[in-house]
Amino acid sequence: MSQQYSSALLENAVNEFAKLPGIGRKTALRLVLHLLRQEEEEVENFGNTIIRLRKEIKYCRVCHNISDREICSLCEDTSRDDKVICVVENIKEVMVVENTHQFKGRYHVLGGVISPMDGIGPADLEIDSLVSRVASGEIKEVILALSATMEGDTTNFYIYRKLAPYNVNISIIARGVSVGDELEYTDEVTLGRSIVNRIPFNETFKN
Amino acid sequence: MSQQYSSALLENAVNEFAKLPGIGRKTALRLVLHLLRQEEEEVENFGNTIIRLRKEIKYCRVCHNISDREICSLCEDTSRDDKVICVVENIKEVMVVENTHQFKGRYHVLGGVISPMDGIGPADLEIDSLVSRVASGEIKEVILALSATMEGDTTNFYIYRKLAPYNVNISIIARGVSVGDELEYTDEVTLGRSIVNRIPFNETFKN
């Protein structure tokens, strides 16, 4: 649907919103018309918050997570376990793992996974800095928590090889039947993996 | 899902996006992470466009449509018919009617419809200015193009009464079966109205 806007200001704002992922021109127009109905001060605040975000955001020097300071709050938190590092793809996955409340160690954000199709090689990721952290000798375990895709698996194996010279346990998060899923509808590969990686039933009482 | 953000800047930006209609916190986070991956200049442009929109936008002195100037482009366009006014609820409906390419007259934006439930009375709408435009004597026809709701009907009748003293034709857009709809699934009221308001078949050849 081509729209005739009677205002260039309106058109510019719609264009900007329509650049966002998952926002079409119709939704963009709806959002812009909503903003027009808000107080000027509120809209100014909205715009400035976005500008400040991009301008002032930092990435933690240690784990590369998003942060307001040089070192992020997760790396600074003295109550967390220094000996375990959970390796994740992006800052989004830090939040996802944090929301499980099952991990109280440190993180390491790779910034992606190895994906030759997208031209992303090991050098584009924060793998060297992970090796440096492990080389410091404090780390006892590295948990690989990447996506269960071919790219994730490739990256897991690459990191595994890079860390082989060091005295560190490397583990990988379990792949298996999703909690709540019916076996009938679980794909064969996942089901097969969950059988191979079965654990003693009494261990499930622990959590 | 409660989220733990390691950055106040991130949290503020997510909060701002989540205020928009139809945008939840998950979508807000997705949009904010997208902005973080863009160039600083682009994000600054996005923020400033929004701020400028709200600050500099004007409403046309004649028809109350959104505009960058005192008089909107639709009111200034000398190729349009000065003798017909299409009355609509909001600026969105101006665009909707414009997109039909079936109307080449002027507009009048009421700014809503009479809705006692929402505390909106005739005085809150641009009805007096519509009467003034009609009173000027140039207008031959006023087309009421409001929503086919109770509030729309109330407003139509109110305007009809207000314009009664003037020598002007008042028409209302047709209510009937939507183009493409199957009769089987059309509601009775609409179908009934479309029978009552049937038109000579040969008139349909005109368009």
Side-chain angles (χ1 to χ4, degrees), chain B residues 87-118:
Chain B
V87 177
V88 292
E89 282 173 52
N90 277 308
I91 53 175
K92 182 81 181 275
E93 280 75 36
V94 173
M95 298 177 199
V96 174
V97 174
E98 275 300 284
N99 280 332
T100 68
H101 303 292
Q102 296 292 328
F103 179 70
K104 288 293 168 201
R106 306 293 181 186
Y107 287 93
H108 191 88
V109 180
L110 292 181
V113 283
I114 297 170
S115 175
M117 289 280 283
D118 302 311

Side-chain angles (χ1 to χ4, degrees), chain A residues 2-3 6-8 10 16 21 30 33-34 36 38 40 46 50 54-55 65-66 68 91 95 99, chain B residues 2-3 6-8 10 16 21 30 33-34 36 38 40 46 54-55 57 65-66 68 91 95 99:
Chain A
S2 80
Q3 289 270 9
S6 57
S7 153
L10 183 74
E16 287 294 332
R30 192 165 52 78
L33 292 179
H34 169 85
L36 273 177
Q38 308 309 304
E40 189 172 321
F46 179 58
I50 293 167
R54 184 61 185 79
K55 233 182 202 152
N65 187 18
I66 201 172
D68 294 352
I91 53 177
M95 299 176 197
N99 281 332
Chain B
S2 79
Q3 289 269 11
S6 56
S7 153
L10 183 74
E16 287 294 332
R30 192 165 53 80
L33 292 180
H34 169 84
L36 272 177
Q38 308 309 304
E40 188 173 320
F46 179 57
R54 183 62 186 78
K55 233 180 203 154
I57 205 80
N65 187 19
I66 200 172
D68 294 353
I91 53 175
M95 298 177 199
N99 280 332

